[in-house]
Each structure stands twice: as structure tokens, then as C-alpha cells.
Amino acid sequence: MTEQVLYETTVENQDGISGHVRTVTSEDLDVTVSSPLRAAPGTNPEQLLGAAFATCLNATIEAEEMRRGLTHQSVVRVSVALARDVQGFQFHVKARVTIPHVPHGEAVAILAVAEQRCPVAKLLAGSDHVTVVLDA
């Protein structure tokens, strides 16, 4: 990696789908995990992915709103569906974005910038199973 690293964390799972996932570089994350297909307590991978994408995309939109001198009012809601495919399972991810305080054209431009800058959006870019929609 030749980029300047601004932050790095390491997360570890020793238990598989039922147990804990935690940071090993600090003590600020320790989450009970479970399968969404079982009635067991815990957070599932779908929720973690949705939370990461929603937070990262909305934070990036917020930065663009601030750059434009706007107040932050956007909302990002991410749904993650688990489906079977020929090799096991597949996630289908849909982000719904609302930027209510600007004209539609400006909202489109803000979202376009955010999708180019958000690290999670860049990681997911190019997948046929990921869509980002701007709600009116």
C-alpha cells in the first residue's frame, strides 16, 4: 500500500457465525454475532455491512454538504438481503439516499461526488448486486 494511512483497525472473528467479533487493535468493539437465519441474539453480517455502508456514505455526503455551505440533512438507509446463488449465498445491497433540502439536480451532484469518495462505496462499486438510489 503506497497511500498514506490515516487510520487502521484489525477486527477478528474466532467463532464463525455464532460468537463474537472484536477489534484486536483496541477495546472499543466487541459485538455478539449470529446468523440472520436463526433465532439467536446478536448482530449479523448483513447488519454490519449495512451499518458500514450507510455511515460511510452519509458521512461523505455530509462532508460535501459542508463543502457547499449546506446544513447536514441527508439520510441514508441501506437494506441488505441474503439470497442463495449457485455457489452458496449472495448479498443484494440497496442504498436509498434522501437529500431533502436541495433541488434534485444538486442532490444528484452531491450523491455522485459522495459515491466517488466514500471508501465503502468504492469497495462495493462494480457489483451487479449493489444499487444506490436517490429518493425524491
Side-chain angles (χ1 to χ4, degrees):
M1 176 176 0
T2 59
E3 299 90 6
Q4 178 188 5
V5 175
L6 303 174
Y7 173 78
E8 182 176 350
T9 189
T10 303
V11 178
E12 179 177 272
N13 177 306
Q14 295 181 359
D15 305 319
I17 196 66
S18 296
H20 283 265
V21 62
R22 61 182 55 92
T23 51
V24 296
T25 50
S26 65
E27 294 183 9
D28 58 349
L29 180 73
D30 186 348
V31 178
T32 301
V33 292
S34 66
S35 169
L37 304 177
R38 295 192 187 111
T43 302
N44 58 58
E46 293 79 2
Q47 293 167 326
L48 294 168
L49 176 59
F53 193 18
T55 301
C56 188
L57 186 58
N58 204 20
T60 309
I61 291 169
E62 179 183 20
E64 182 60 15
E65 287 169 325
M66 289 176 54
R67 191 187 71 75
R68 293 170 182 243
L70 301 169
T71 59
H72 176 60
Q73 296 182 29
S74 63
V75 176
V76 176
R77 180 176 289 181
V78 175
S79 63
V80 180
L82 175 66
R84 290 197 181 276
D85 68 9
V86 295
Q87 296 180 343
F89 296 98
Q90 175 67 51
F91 287 151
H92 296 271
V93 179
K94 184 171 190 174
R96 301 191 75 87
V97 179
T98 305
I99 309 174
H101 58 301
V102 297
H104 181 74
E106 188 170 5
V108 168
I110 290 170
L111 180 56
V113 167
E115 285 186 89
Q116 292 174 353
R117 293 183 180 167
C118 169
V120 177
K122 289 191 264 185
L123 187 65
L124 299 174
S127 171
D128 294 336
H129 302 285
V130 177
T131 57
V132 178
V133 176
L134 179 64
D135 288 337

